[in-house]
Amino acid sequence: MRNTNQRREQLLKLLMEQGSVQVSDLVPLLGVSAVTIRHDLDHFEQQGLLTRNYGGAFFNPRGTPEQDIREKDHLNPTLKERIGARAAEMVLPGENILIDSGTTTHKLARYLRTAQDLTVMSNGLNIVEELAQAEGVQVMITGGVLRKASQSFQGVQAEASLAAYNFDKLFLGVDGFDLHFGITTHSEREASLNRKMVERSRRTIVMTDSSKFGRVSLHRIIGLERVQAVITDAGISAEYRDGLQRLGIELILVD
C-alpha cells in the first residue's frame, strides 16, 4: 500500500464487507507486517469501529438502527430546515440538479418551489411530490423500485435512468459520515444508486446535521475525496472541521 490512509481504508472496507478479519490473512493481502496490522486495528478500536478478538477483529458499526422516513422527519427539524435553506442558495437559474432522497434534502426541495428555469431529478418520492406543482421547475424521477422505509426509488431501472444525463450539482443525504471510511448508508441498493449520482454530477454537496459525523453504516457510498462541499451546523467537532479542511472540502455552516 502506498500510504497508511489507503491501507487503513482497504482494511476497513474488508472488515465491513466480511464482518471480521484475521491478522494472518491481512499480512499478505496488504503487504505489511503483523505489527503494522495490529496497530491499524488498535487505531480503529479506539474509534469504536471494531472489537478485537484473538488473532483479529470484528466490525462494530457506530451507526444507529435505520428509522423510516416518518421517524427521521422529527429528528433535528430546525437544523434540517436551515441546512435546506442554505443549500437552496447554492442553486442557480438554468441549472440541472440531482436531489437525493431523505428528510434533509426534502427541506431543500421546499425552498425550490418558487425557483425559475430549473431542472430537478430525484429518487425521492417526497421530493418529487414537493416540486410537482412548481411552475418554474421541470421535475424528473429516476423510476425504479420503491423502498418504502425511505420513500426512495432504487435498483437497476433507477441507475439506468441516470446514464443519459449530466448534472451541475448533486445534493446528497447520508446516514453516516466518517473521515476514514467516507459516506455510508443503510441500504446497499441506495449506496449503489448514490454512486451513480456522483458519477453523473460535476459537484457533490453533502447535506447533513452534525449528528451524522463519526457514524458508519454498513454500505459505503463514496470516499470523501469525491465530495466538494458539506453543509452542516455549528455542532461539528474540531476534528471534523480540521479534517475537512485538510481534504480541501468546502465547509458551509448554518447557525
Side-chain angles (χ1 to χ4, degrees):
M1 301 297 292
R2 286 185 295 171
N3 60 48
T4 299
N5 286 337
Q6 289 177 323
R7 182 184 69 250
R8 288 179 174 174
E9 182 175 315
Q10 184 176 354
L11 192 162
L12 192 55
K13 182 178 181 180
L14 288 168
L15 186 64
M16 293 182 74
E17 290 175 347
Q18 300 173 181
S20 64
V21 293
Q22 293 294 309
V23 173
S24 58
D25 296 329
L26 293 171
V27 168
L29 183 62
L30 300 179
V32 293
S33 69
V35 172
T36 298
I37 296 296
R38 292 190 186 98
H39 285 159
D40 289 344
L41 295 178
D42 288 342
H43 170 78
F44 288 127
E45 186 175 38
Q46 290 171 7
Q47 298 181 53
L49 282 171
L50 59 80
T51 300
R52 296 291 300 276
N53 59 10
Y54 183 75
F58 60 88
F59 183 51
N60 180 33
R62 294 180 298 183
T64 57
E66 184 177 15
Q67 298 170 302
D68 70 28
I69 196 166
R70 289 167 297 182
E71 294 171 319
K72 287 182 176 180
D73 202 38
H74 296 293
L75 298 175
N76 302 318
T78 303
L79 290 178
K80 290 178 180 179
E81 192 76 29
R82 292 170 181 166
I83 291 169
R86 183 63 182 87
E89 295 176 5
M90 301 176 71
V91 178
L92 303 176
E95 286 191 323
N96 308 307
I97 67 170
L98 262 173
I99 302 180
D100 182 29
S101 62
T103 55
T104 305
T105 50
H106 178 237
K107 305 302 184 186
L108 163 61
R110 286 185 177 177
Y111 282 96
L112 296 179
R113 287 180 297 189
T114 58
Q116 297 297 316
D117 189 24
L118 186 67
T119 298
V120 175
M121 189 175 198
S122 181
N123 64 321
L125 181 59
N126 59 342
I127 291 168
V128 171
E129 290 176 338
E130 189 69 52
L131 293 171
Q133 303 303 318
E135 293 185 3
V137 182
Q138 180 178 343
V139 182
M140 305 169 67
I141 191 166
T142 61
V145 178
L146 179 64
R147 185 168 184 260
K148 294 180 180 179
S150 59
Q151 291 291 286
S152 62
F153 292 95
Q154 51 193 230
V156 174
Q157 182 181 344
E159 293 182 23
S161 70
L162 296 172
Y165 303 104
N166 293 299
F167 297 92
D168 297 298
K169 297 182 177 86
L170 162 63
F171 292 91
L172 183 64
V174 303
D175 289 323
F177 191 113
D178 185 82
L179 286 175
H180 295 282
F181 200 71
I183 298 169
T184 54
T185 186
H186 287 95
S187 167
E188 182 177 10
R189 285 188 174 186
E190 193 167 297
S192 180
L193 178 60
N194 287 160
R195 282 192 291 273
K196 294 292 184 182
M197 289 178 164
V198 172
E199 291 173 6
R200 306 310 305 171
S201 304
R202 295 185 180 90
R203 184 171 170 83
T204 296
I205 302 164
V206 173
M207 299 173 60
T208 180
D209 64 79
S210 59
S211 70
K212 303 293 179 61
F213 294 114
R215 292 185 184 178
V216 177
S217 296
L218 182 58
H219 300 286
R220 187 174 193 252
I221 300 173
I222 53 171
L224 297 185
E225 72 280 357
R226 303 187 71 179
V227 175
Q228 282 72 50
V230 174
I231 310 174
T232 190
D233 59 87
I236 184 173
S237 69
E239 176 191 4
Y240 273 79
R241 287 182 189 234
D242 294 343
L244 294 177
Q245 184 178 16
R246 287 196 304 271
L247 292 168
I249 297 172
E250 180 183 6
L251 177 60
I252 302 165
L253 297 179
V254 300
D255 294 332

